[in-house]
């Protein structure tokens, strides 16, 4: 077996998260709010919506085919208001910002490939269930799912703690526990591992937008007390743990005024914080015929059930597709030496218990519903605050039983 990090007596690993007010996350949330609004009226819609933002400007573009009647401008303004951008000094004002919308219908070539999979175009008599089999993948590519037993939610601890810190940062702002914070912010957590297990928190970084005139000493004191202390387990902190709060000094200029934003630019924040590989496709603004999204969710569902079944301590699942083809091109399983049965046997279990055709994924995970904007900040996986169908471990018992027969 080749050497891997789990064989190392000591190593450091880092993941980051960003708040809902980060410019890229603003765009993700607007794109997914549009998807949800469309799905609320038209669950069969084809949606590929992209958003960009800069100082007091939002641009919405994409390919959307739907019978739904929605107000793109109003959805964007409402989302900005919910996030907390209600003052031009924060980088954008929901009431007065300019919003440009340029939407056209999905390419008829792509639409035809998705609507009628290659298998059907060749021989429809071979397909047993047209509702599932007739849907082709919306694009080529490879998608990755991951799970590990480091946390209750079966996520990497670096990613889990980073998300919890940014969620807490937004909470103390919205509940006015710290009155001077702005919507934009980031966290970063570095953990020291010992033979693949979390040992201690090595470094914590939090950067938060704030009103002018607030001293760095006050920010450090308040963030430590109200954000870090309630989140980071005391047992993971020691005298050598380093904490950096607003290491740049002032962070008054933030949001879209401080940095332009774009949908899909935080793919590692959305997934596993760099612990697992990534297929490259972003999620937000895409309906589930786009396997960038639905197959990544399905791969997480597979990996999580394998770890929940105690077949492996860490599991990465890759699945790949060709545009317009229903059946996956490949499915692979990697357990990094933590499998309690051979990976080949795990792969056989995956093929038996999980149908990874796009139509089957959509049907089995019930993805044609307006559930997406809640995923557009603080991660698409391992969420304990919301219920998501790909986070179920309903196949773990059956997998465990068959694995250890």
């Amino acid at each position: 077996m080749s050497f891997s990090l789990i064989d190392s007596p000591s190593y450091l690993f880092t993941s980051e998260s960003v708040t809902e007010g980060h410019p890229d996350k603003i765009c993700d949330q607007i794109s997914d709010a549009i998807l949800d609004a469309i799905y609320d009226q038209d669950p069969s819609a084809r949606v590929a919506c992209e958003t960009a933002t800069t100082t007091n400007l939002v641009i919405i573009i994409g390919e959307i085919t739907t019978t739904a009647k929605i107000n793109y401008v109003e959805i964007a303004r409402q989302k900005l208001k919910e996030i907390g951008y209600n003052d031009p000094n924060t980088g954008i004002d929901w009431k007065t910002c300019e919003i440009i919308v340029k939407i056209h219908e999905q390419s008829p070539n792509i639409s035809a490939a998705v609507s009628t999979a290659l298998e059907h175009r060749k021989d429809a008599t071979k397909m047993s269930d047209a509702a599932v089999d007739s849907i082709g993948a919306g694009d080529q590519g490879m998608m990755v799912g991951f799970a590990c037993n480091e946390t209750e939610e079966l996520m990497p601890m670096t990613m889990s703690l980073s998300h919890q810190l940014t969620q807490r940062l937004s909470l103390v702002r919205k509940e006015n526990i710290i009155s001077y914070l702005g919507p934009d912010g980031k966290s970063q957590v570095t953990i020291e591992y010992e033979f693949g297990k979390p040992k201690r928190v090595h470094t914590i970084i939090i950067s938060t937008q704030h009103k002018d005139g607030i001293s760095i000493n006050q920010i450090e004191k308040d963030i430590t007390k109200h954000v870090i202390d309630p989140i980071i387990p005391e047992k993971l902190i020691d005298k050598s743990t380093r904490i950096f709060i607003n290491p740049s000094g002032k962070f008054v200029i933030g949001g879209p005024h401080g940095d332009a934003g774009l949908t899909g630019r935080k793919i590692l924040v959305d997934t596993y914080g760099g612990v697992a590989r990534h297929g490259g496709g972003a999620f937000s603004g895409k309906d589930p015929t786009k396997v960038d999204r639905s197959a990544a969710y399905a791969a997480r569902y597979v990996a999580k059930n394998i770890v929940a079944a105690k077949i492996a301590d860490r599991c990465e699942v890759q699945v790949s597709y060709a545009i317009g083809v229903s059946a996956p091109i490949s499915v692979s399983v990697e357990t990094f030496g933590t499998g309690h049965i051979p990976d080949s046997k795990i792969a056989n279990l995956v093929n038996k218990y999980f149908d990874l055709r796009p139509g089957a994924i959509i049907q089995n995970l019930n993805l044609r519903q307006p559930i997406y904007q809640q995923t557009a900040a603080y991660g698409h996986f391992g969420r304990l605050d919301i219920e998501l169908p790909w986070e179920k471990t309903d196949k773990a018992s059956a997998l465990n039983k068959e694995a250890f027969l």
Side-chain angles (χ1 to χ4, degrees):
M1 181 177 65
S2 61
F3 180 82
S4 68
L5 286 177
I6 64 169
D7 301 310
S8 177
S10 179
Y11 67 92
L12 302 178
F13 199 89
T14 302
S15 296
E16 71 160 346
S17 178
V18 298
T19 66
E20 62 205 74
H22 185 281
D24 295 330
K25 280 289 137 195
I26 294 171
C27 296
D28 286 344
Q29 290 169 92
I30 290 173
S31 292
D32 270 343
I34 289 169
L35 173 61
D36 276 3
I38 291 171
Y39 256 24
D40 195 47
Q41 299 179 36
D42 179 15
S44 297
R46 299 281 173 80
V47 180
C49 180
E50 308 285 349
T51 304
T53 184
T54 187
T55 305
N56 230 31
L57 172 66
V58 173
I59 302 172
I60 301 169
I61 61 174
E63 299 80 42
I64 298 176
T65 302
T66 182
T67 59
K69 305 299 181 184
I70 65 167
N71 187 326
Y72 295 98
V73 172
E74 183 58 34
I75 290 170
R77 293 197 191 281
Q78 182 60 36
K79 183 50 64 175
L80 288 168
K81 181 180 179 181
E82 290 173 6
I83 293 169
Y85 281 107
N86 51 20
D87 183 337
N89 292 324
T90 61
I92 194 166
D93 182 0
W94 71 272
K95 299 183 295 293
T96 62
C97 68
E98 181 182 3
I99 300 178
I100 299 171
V101 179
K102 296 292 183 181
I103 298 290
H104 60 268
E105 290 193 345
Q106 183 181 59
S107 158
N109 299 146
I110 296 175
S111 178
V114 174
S115 299
T116 308
L118 179 65
E119 294 94 330
H120 263 262
R121 281 175 272 146
K122 284 186 172 181
D123 187 355
T125 63
K126 293 182 179 179
M127 312 313 291
S128 59
D129 184 351
V132 170
D133 293 333
S134 65
I135 296 177
D139 203 350
Q140 71 174 42
M142 61 283 187
M143 295 81 213
V144 175
F146 181 80
C148 62
N149 61 4
E150 293 178 17
T151 62
E152 174 188 355
E153 61 273 27
L154 304 185
M155 287 286 287
M157 187 175 286
T158 52
M159 190 76 267
S160 180
L161 291 179
S162 294
H163 281 321
Q164 290 179 53
L165 286 171
T166 50
Q167 284 183 296
R168 179 71 185 175
L169 189 59
S170 288
L171 179 70
V172 300
R173 170 179 63 89
K174 289 183 172 181
E175 295 192 352
N176 211 34
I177 295 171
I178 303 178
S179 60
Y180 54 78
L181 297 182
D184 197 358
K186 292 183 174 184
S187 71
Q188 186 172 293
V189 175
T190 301
I191 287 180
E192 180 181 349
Y193 284 79
E194 191 173 73
F195 295 107
K197 301 295 183 183
K199 180 181 178 182
R200 55 182 289 272
V201 172
H202 178 274
T203 304
I204 299 167
I205 305 172
I206 292 183
S207 295
T208 179
Q209 187 182 14
H210 59 88
K211 294 179 181 177
D212 205 2
I214 309 299
S215 71
I216 186 62
N217 288 338
Q218 184 67 50
I219 296 171
E220 288 176 346
K221 178 182 175 182
D222 290 341
I223 294 299
T224 299
K225 177 181 178 180
H226 296 295
V227 178
I228 295 175
D229 288 350
I231 295 300
I232 305 297
E234 188 176 348
K235 66 182 181 180
L236 294 177
I237 300 285
D238 59 30
K239 63 182 180 180
S240 297
T241 297
R242 302 186 301 171
I243 298 176
F244 298 97
I245 297 171
N246 279 21
S248 66
K250 292 179 67 173
F251 186 1
V252 174
I253 299 172
H257 187 46
D259 192 9
L262 186 66
T263 298
R265 209 159 53 180
K266 285 290 177 285
I267 57 177
L268 295 186
V269 172
D270 285 341
T271 54
Y272 309 101
V275 175
R277 285 165 282 203
H278 197 288
F283 301 155
S284 291
K286 298 178 181 178
D287 77 79
T289 64
K290 280 74 175 174
V291 285
D292 278 344
R293 183 168 217 160
S294 55
Y297 290 167
R300 162 64 176 175
Y301 177 53
V302 174
K304 188 175 183 182
N305 274 272
I306 288 170
V307 174
K310 302 187 185 305
I311 297 172
D313 298 337
R314 298 166 72 85
C315 182
E316 183 182 88
V317 175
Q318 186 201 76
V319 57
S320 69
Y321 295 88
I323 187 169
V325 179
S326 178
I329 300 302
S330 67
V331 179
S332 65
V333 177
E334 170 66 71
T335 63
F336 309 96
T338 71
H340 303 295
I341 62 174
D343 284 1
S344 58
K345 185 173 181 180
I346 297 175
N348 290 335
L349 290 173
V350 170
N351 290 329
K352 177 176 179 179
Y353 283 93
F354 299 94
D355 189 339
L356 296 175
R357 294 169 298 169
I361 293 170
I362 292 169
Q363 178 175 286
N364 295 335
L365 295 181
N366 192 20
L367 297 183
R368 291 194 189 275
Q369 53 177 323
I371 59 173
Y372 297 105
Q373 61 178 306
Q374 62 186 340
T375 69
Y378 312 117
H380 293 244
F381 308 118
R383 298 287 295 273
L384 296 176
D385 56 324
I386 55 178
E387 290 189 11
L388 298 169
W390 51 89
E391 291 296 312
K392 298 181 296 183
T393 55
D394 53 332
K395 294 187 183 292
S397 178
L399 288 168
N400 176 274
K401 183 177 180 180
E402 184 161 343
F404 299 109
L405 280 175

